[in-house]
Amino acid sequence: MAGGVDNAAVYNAALKRRQAMMGASGPMALVRNFKVFRVALFACIGGVLYGYNQGMFSGLLTMPAFQAHMGDYDPFDPNADQTKKGWLTAILELGAWIGTLMSGFIAETISRKYGVLVAVSVFSLGVIIQSTAQYGGANVILGGRFVTGMGVGSLAAIIPIYNSEVAPPEVRGALVALQQLAITFGILVSFWIDYGTNFIGGTTLGKQKDAAWLVPITLQLFPAVILFVGMIFMPFSPRWLVHHDRETEARKVLANLRELSIDHELVELEFLEIKAQSQFEKRTVAEKFPNLREPTAWNTFKLQFVAINSLFQSKPMFKRVIVATVTMFFQQWTGINAILYYAPSIFMQLGLSSNTTSLLATGVVGILLFVFTIPAVLWIDRVGRKPVLTVGAIAMATCHIIIAVIVAKDAGRWLEQAAAGWAAVAFVWIFVINFGYSWGPCAWIIVAEIWPLSSRPYGTTLGASSNWANNFIVGQVTPILLNRIGYGTYILFGLLTFLGAGFIWFFVPETKRLTLEEMDVIFGSEGVAQADFERMAEINREIGLTAMLEGFEGNSSIHDATAEKTSKEEEVEGQ
């Protein structure tokens, strides 16, 4: 390997060595890395905030006491113009889009950890504004949801980066999937809180108290405070530390997260890989943009635009752009947020005329979404991304088409065809099940894991930006579509979801069990220019990664696990 070693050979050797030591992915891998799991789980409170805010508002839209304050933005008449109602919902996504665009700069400048603190503060301010809507009406809700959205958008972009960077490869997919599980948990909690508070004072106009909708809004502050305080004590991302020349601290954080000694072989291997990629990105920036080589805040701010622009300049990076943005496009156009934002209204259109019954059916959506996201957390690193996404898309699209047929046949006759209405509701539930284990967590995993180190905040921002832009469009047009074309709405979502299955199967590469640094190999980035080969090979030799891997090749026996890791696994298996 000496001298003429290429990038792919170095990372192939590193991958084989690491897989021999770290063992298989799956539930046992989470046990072996339980400390990392705890850190990622706590950070995912940000996902709970997003999910809660998303689910909570769908119930508010059907509460008479809330509608009384919203005027034309939430009309009592279901046949009235629904354009303003779309704005009341979608304004959150507009704010989130802006928050997402700023998150890359924030995460790179002040760290992923402090970026979360800033995002939580903005989120809390928006919640406080919304809590005054009893006196300010629709305008206050619009303004508050916009500010809250900025915080939610930043959290949705930064937390997957943070989780992916503290995680070892064998559980990285599972820990990033935790973000989606946290979102579904927030949705679950919000649906049932809405169901309970809907009874405060009564369920009809004039009897229902304002507390019915104020309580769900203000409860968001509780987890926000917990996340803010707790995040102060969480570790920095080791990859961010290395990239900012805090190598001693990075080694300590890595060793602490892996629960290994600081001089352990696995810690050293991971550290050198991170350092090699960081040095490569820094030297590339220094060569291409010498005026921005100093890591000042102003240079980082300017670099984000240069970095985003650079994603479109080469074929391998542009392929990453397509994978991230189009995957998020199809995630939103499965229609999942149309269901989550307007579930009570949709269930009413499917024959559940009582607001209480529709809220109850919506609560079932929350339970199913949460329960069926759990398998992705446990097994996504073993099964892979492509088969899960493809199967999930085909199943969801089929549900949409079946619902469209039922609605086309029986709309307006639900009293006589109650069984048909419940059948349509059941297929909404089946749709949610298939989203839960597939496109919910897997789309975010792909967006978080495919980028090189220096481009990761900006690439993830671009992918999340696509998510929020399409989220905004779906939230805005869904009430209009349901009002004007009825069952055609489900046909539209179904056809687009079938297209999403084809996109994943034929275009997106499998990324399971690869390190973040090894993504360059499968996307072909190391072949962009010979200079990149030479620069990375030089860095690998300088920092000792090449010599370390040469030592691996000379060792005839590679143990399946280190003593520290194996003993922990044996203890659990013996119980």
Side-chain angles (χ1 to χ4, degrees):
M1 284 199 321
V5 67
D6 65 39
N7 227 7
V10 169
Y11 284 122
N12 185 55
L15 176 62
K16 289 180 179 178
R17 180 59 175 173
R18 188 185 305 100
Q19 288 180 338
M21 290 189 292
M22 71 190 183
S25 298
M28 286 307 303
L30 292 175
V31 174
R32 292 194 301 272
N33 294 277
F34 189 62
K35 189 165 191 175
V36 177
F37 178 74
R38 294 199 310 267
V39 170
L41 187 64
F42 185 85
C44 281
I45 292 177
V48 175
L49 295 177
Y50 167 38
Y52 182 91
N53 196 277
Q54 185 182 43
M56 171 269 298
F57 204 70
S58 69
L60 264 58
L61 289 172
T62 63
M63 292 184 182
F66 182 77
Q67 291 178 292
H69 289 282
M70 296 300 107
D72 292 340
Y73 282 91
D74 192 9
F76 288 99
D77 183 3
N79 297 315
D81 183 15
Q82 301 292 312
T83 305
K84 288 187 175 181
K85 183 176 181 178
W87 271 107
L88 202 63
T89 300
I91 194 71
L92 178 85
E93 281 66 52
L94 188 61
W97 192 0
I98 295 174
T100 298
L101 292 174
M102 292 300 297
S103 64
F105 167 69
I106 294 171
E108 190 61 33
T109 303
I110 65 174
S111 80
R112 286 62 159 139
K113 172 180 174 175
Y114 292 149
V116 171
L117 295 180
V118 171
V120 172
S121 300
V122 174
F123 174 89
S124 301
L125 176 62
V127 172
I128 292 171
I129 293 173
Q130 290 181 69
S131 66
T132 65
Q134 188 177 11
Y135 308 102
N139 289 334
V140 169
I141 289 291
L142 288 168
R145 280 179 62 77
F146 180 80
V147 175
T148 298
M150 292 176 66
V152 162
S154 295
L155 288 171
I158 296 174
I159 287 177
I161 297 175
Y162 180 79
N163 283 352
S164 69
E165 292 184 353
V166 300
E170 68 268 30
V171 296
R172 188 188 63 242
L175 295 192
V176 176
L178 272 178
Q179 168 78 351
Q180 181 62 27
L181 184 64
I183 292 172
T184 61
F185 180 73
I187 293 170
L188 166 63
V189 171
S190 70
F191 282 163
W192 288 103
I193 286 178
D194 280 351
Y195 178 75
T197 61
N198 182 58
F199 293 98
I200 296 180
T203 59
T204 58
L205 182 64
K207 292 185 177 180
Q208 190 176 63
K209 304 294 184 181
D210 285 337
W213 57 272
L214 281 172
V215 170
I217 288 178
T218 54
L219 277 178
Q220 298 173 90
L221 291 173
F222 179 67
V225 170
I226 293 176
L227 178 59
F228 185 91
V229 174
M231 202 66 197
I232 296 173
F233 302 98
M234 294 295 108
F236 288 95
S237 158
R239 286 174 170 82
W240 183 85
L241 291 171
V242 169
H243 207 56
H244 288 260
D245 301 319
R246 294 163 63 174
E247 294 186 4
T248 301
E249 188 176 352
R251 285 179 183 271
K252 291 179 180 178
V253 169
L254 266 179
N256 185 265
L257 287 171
R258 306 298 178 256
E259 297 184 276
L260 298 169
S261 61
I262 198 169
D263 58 351
H264 193 279
E265 183 180 302
L266 195 59
V267 173
E268 182 67 12
L269 175 60
E270 189 172 356
F271 173 79
L272 289 178
E273 285 190 293
I274 293 169
K275 183 175 179 179
Q277 185 68 20
S278 176
Q279 289 295 319
F280 173 79
E281 301 294 350
K282 286 181 179 180
R283 294 186 191 186
T284 301
V285 169
E287 180 179 299
K288 293 182 178 179
F289 317 108
N291 295 333
L292 301 177
R293 65 187 302 167
E294 294 298 324
T296 63
W298 177 238
N299 279 352
T300 302
F301 180 76
K302 291 187 290 185
L303 184 60
Q304 70 176 330
F305 300 104
V306 175
I308 290 176
N309 182 63
S310 70
L311 301 180
F312 296 85
Q313 301 303 310
S314 68
K315 185 176 179 180
M317 291 305 294
F318 185 66
K319 185 176 181 180
R320 284 177 161 103
V321 171
I322 295 298
V323 168
T325 56
V326 177
T327 297
M328 282 306 188
F329 168 86
F330 282 121
Q331 188 210 46
Q332 287 305 307
W333 285 96
T334 61
I336 183 61
N337 280 324
I339 300 295
L340 297 181
Y341 291 147
Y342 302 107
S345 301
I346 289 173
F347 286 136
M348 284 184 180
Q349 289 188 351
L350 295 179
L352 305 186
S353 57
S354 166
N355 185 44
T356 301
T357 305
S358 67
L359 286 174
L360 189 61
T362 302
V364 175
V365 167
I367 293 174
L368 294 174
L369 189 59
F370 175 74
V371 170
F372 283 91
T373 302
I374 295 175
V377 175
L378 296 178
W379 289 292
I380 188 60
D381 285 305
R382 179 173 295 181
V383 178
R385 286 59 160 149
K386 287 185 68 169
V388 171
L389 286 169
T390 304
V391 170
I394 292 173
M396 287 188 292
T398 303
C399 288
H400 274 307
I401 300 303
I402 293 173
I403 294 170
V405 171
I406 294 174
V407 174
K409 181 175 178 290
D410 295 307
R413 301 190 304 138
W414 298 120
L415 290 178
E416 298 83 17
Q417 300 292 336
W422 278 107
V425 170
F427 276 103
V428 171
W429 290 339
I430 295 171
F431 165 86
V432 169
I433 287 172
N434 284 280
F435 181 86
Y437 70 77
S438 61
W439 282 77
C442 289
W444 286 107
I445 291 171
I446 287 176
V447 168
E449 72 184 357
I450 63 175
W451 303 100
L453 181 60
S454 68
S455 302
R456 191 169 302 131
Y458 313 109
T460 305
T461 294
L462 197 60
S465 177
S466 172
N467 177 279
W468 289 114
N470 288 285
N471 199 336
F472 168 73
I473 296 170
V474 170
Q476 177 67 42
V477 304
T478 295
I480 300 173
L481 291 175
L482 290 171
N483 185 255
R484 295 182 182 178
I485 65 174
Y487 68 87
T489 307
Y490 302 102
I491 294 176
L492 175 64
F493 287 140
L495 293 177
L496 287 172
T497 307
F498 275 127
L499 287 176
F503 171 77
I504 292 296
W505 189 254
F506 294 109
F507 191 83
V508 177
E510 182 56 74
T511 57
K512 69 172 181 177
R513 287 180 67 83
L514 297 176
T515 68
L516 296 168
E517 287 68 37
E518 288 158 357
M519 293 296 168
D520 280 351
V521 176
I522 65 168
F523 280 98
S525 294
E526 79 280 3
V528 174
Q530 184 61 30
D532 285 354
F533 274 110
E534 295 172 356
R535 185 181 299 118
M536 182 58 89
E538 179 184 0
I539 292 169
N540 288 335
R541 290 192 296 270
E542 286 178 6
I543 67 175
L545 181 58
T546 299
M548 186 178 189
L549 296 176
E550 284 177 335
F552 293 163
E553 286 193 340
N555 188 353
S556 58
S557 70
I558 296 179
H559 300 288
D560 288 337
T562 65
E564 293 179 62
K565 292 285 183 180
T566 341
S567 60
K568 191 181 299 182
E569 183 175 358
E570 287 174 350
E571 287 178 11
V572 175
E573 289 180 341
Q575 292 177 355

